[in-house]
Amino acid sequence: MEGCRKTSFKFAMAHGLCDTCDYHWQAAGVPVEEFLATVRRTWRYVGKDACCVRDCPRPCKSAKEPFCYAHLHQQRVSGLSIQDFVRRPGVVALPSFGICQVLACDREKDYERTPYCMAHRNRLSVETRSGHVDDEETWRRTTSPVTITGEINLRGLPELLVTEIIFGLQERTRSGAKTKDHSLRPLCDTARRQQVESITEIDLAGLTRLQCQLVATFTNSINRLGATPESERLKDVWDLVVFGMGGHLRFSDISQPWLREAAKAWAVEELPQRRGKRAHTTVQSGIKSLEKFSESLRLQRDDRGTDPRRLGRSDIVAFLHRQAFLQQEGELSADGRYKRITKFRQVLRRMRSLGLTGPGRPLDGLPGDVVLREEDIPDEAEDSEAGPYPRRSCGSSAPSWTRSMPSRPRTSGSQWN
């Protein structure tokens, strides 16, 4: 509507009013055409306007009194209307007092003797009285600029951070997402206040969920820049978008380097065989079983399992005992124990079939008895919610206790004797 400069985010509505104008239109209770034709915005908006005298750079007092203080005094003394005063001979532009010395601000000062614009002068006064300003020079570098409707102020931020924000915003827009200025602006203010050099250094404490999502989105876009499957597989956390999938794979909890590299080699072979939006969860479950084996090696061995050549059957037995102990302590269900051990067996057998025990490969020197046998697999649980009771033997369709019950003779019909 006339006189309004705010951005409208009501994309689905035909009238395209901003939130404030929409509120006043709803309160007026008239058709939108009549509202737009008869009402001129007089309520406050956030902006930055210069004096309405031609070429005068000094800031105006307000939207209702659009003169700098010097011209406003002249206009009041003359008694002329705004239109007549600006056309009056002798009314000329006055020299600028300079720019506000707050690093992120580009507003004109309204007085010569002050180093700040009016907004920052008032803010400094309030924050000084409240004890929030220890050093004025630091305050100049870290305080936020005056908000301007529809603008994102990146002044006072390092060049690298500015580049990351712009690039991340472009990638977000390219994906079809819409980013509102009032969502991104607090993130920029936080980065300025924390004096960080990169988007990855921002402390997320105190940020809203949406702002944390923006940081994550920008960070992912930066990490994916120039990434290939060959370069991604060298990392301990994989972004599967690079592999044409969704989600992440994490190898960082596998502490032994040889086992971590073997897990990566297995995952590279396993990923193309998976389908669906959650296909990576199957691969991650295999990595999880290797994490638990890694944990067992750290706890059971003096060398923490750093040398695969020194491993043996005893390490497999120690791993199995630990899973049984975790089940007994209630930290692992019977079904979880069965699935973990079964998955570890599958992954270990697949690693051997891929030749990872060959010379120069991650499992080079791993003894042949570091395997899980058929008898190492525990009985599959009847019900994962029932804890360790009852159990079902492998390959059996009925609980073990039912097979031990004596059979009862039947008659020729369907009734018991």
Side-chain angles (χ1 to χ4, degrees), residues 78-279:
S78 68
L80 299 175
S81 65
I82 295 176
Q83 294 77 11
D84 293 337
F85 178 77
V86 296
R87 291 194 295 264
R88 181 182 181 182
V91 177
V92 296
L94 299 173
S96 170
F97 289 133
I99 302 297
C100 177
Q101 294 185 18
V102 168
L103 188 59
C105 185
D106 66 339
R107 297 166 74 94
E108 292 277 343
K109 298 190 298 183
D110 52 351
Y111 287 106
E112 183 177 8
R113 292 187 298 272
T114 178
Y116 307 113
C117 64
M118 180 178 63
H120 280 115
R121 186 172 65 251
N122 294 338
R123 182 187 301 179
L124 177 62
S125 176
V126 172
E127 294 185 2
T128 300
R129 288 196 302 269
S130 61
H132 294 157
V133 179
D134 296 326
D135 177 43
E136 189 170 333
E137 189 62 34
T138 302
W139 179 85
R140 292 181 182 182
R141 295 195 308 269
T142 59
T143 193
S144 303
V146 178
T147 299
I148 300 177
T149 300
E151 291 188 15
I152 303 295
N153 192 329
L154 301 178
R155 297 180 184 89
L157 298 178
E159 291 186 6
L160 174 60
L161 182 57
V162 171
T163 303
E164 290 174 342
I165 292 176
I166 294 176
F167 175 74
L169 191 59
Q170 289 173 339
E171 292 298 301
R172 180 177 167 84
T173 303
R174 185 178 291 113
S175 68
K178 297 179 174 66
T179 307
K180 299 181 180 180
D181 58 343
H182 56 76
S183 299
L184 181 57
R185 189 181 295 115
L187 180 61
C188 299
D189 293 341
T190 299
R192 186 181 294 105
R193 184 173 59 256
Q194 296 180 3
Q195 292 288 279
V196 297
E197 296 293 328
S198 171
I199 194 76
T200 58
E201 300 175 6
I202 294 180
D203 183 3
L204 303 182
L207 296 184
T208 64
R209 182 173 60 88
L210 178 57
Q211 291 157 12
C212 292
Q213 290 176 351
L214 287 177
V215 173
T217 301
F218 292 172
T219 302
N220 288 337
S221 299
I222 295 166
N223 292 338
R224 292 168 186 167
L225 182 62
T228 63
E230 291 73 22
S231 63
E232 195 69 15
R233 63 180 296 179
L234 301 177
K235 303 177 182 178
D236 290 340
V237 179
W238 291 2
D239 184 353
L240 295 185
V241 171
V242 180
F243 295 88
M245 305 175 69
H248 294 78
L249 289 183
R250 302 183 183 277
F251 303 87
S252 52
D253 289 337
I254 302 177
S255 59
Q256 295 79 14
W258 60 270
L259 186 58
R260 189 187 311 122
E261 293 304 314
K264 293 178 182 179
W266 167 79
V268 166
E269 295 285 341
E270 192 74 9
L271 281 174
Q273 304 176 23
R274 301 299 167 184
R275 302 291 185 271
K277 294 182 179 180
R278 305 289 297 174

Side-chain angles (χ1 to χ4, degrees), residues 37-77:
T38 58
V39 178
R40 186 183 188 280
R41 175 165 182 153
T42 57
W43 44 92
R44 180 180 179 271
Y45 67 89
V46 180
K48 180 182 66 174
D49 292 321
C51 177
C52 67
V53 173
R54 183 176 180 180
D55 297 330
C56 183
R58 298 183 184 182
C60 70
K61 180 182 178 182
S62 66
K64 293 182 178 181
E65 297 177 306
F67 294 109
C68 63
Y69 286 103
H71 283 129
L72 179 61
H73 175 71
Q74 296 174 10
Q75 188 258 341
R76 288 175 176 175
V77 170

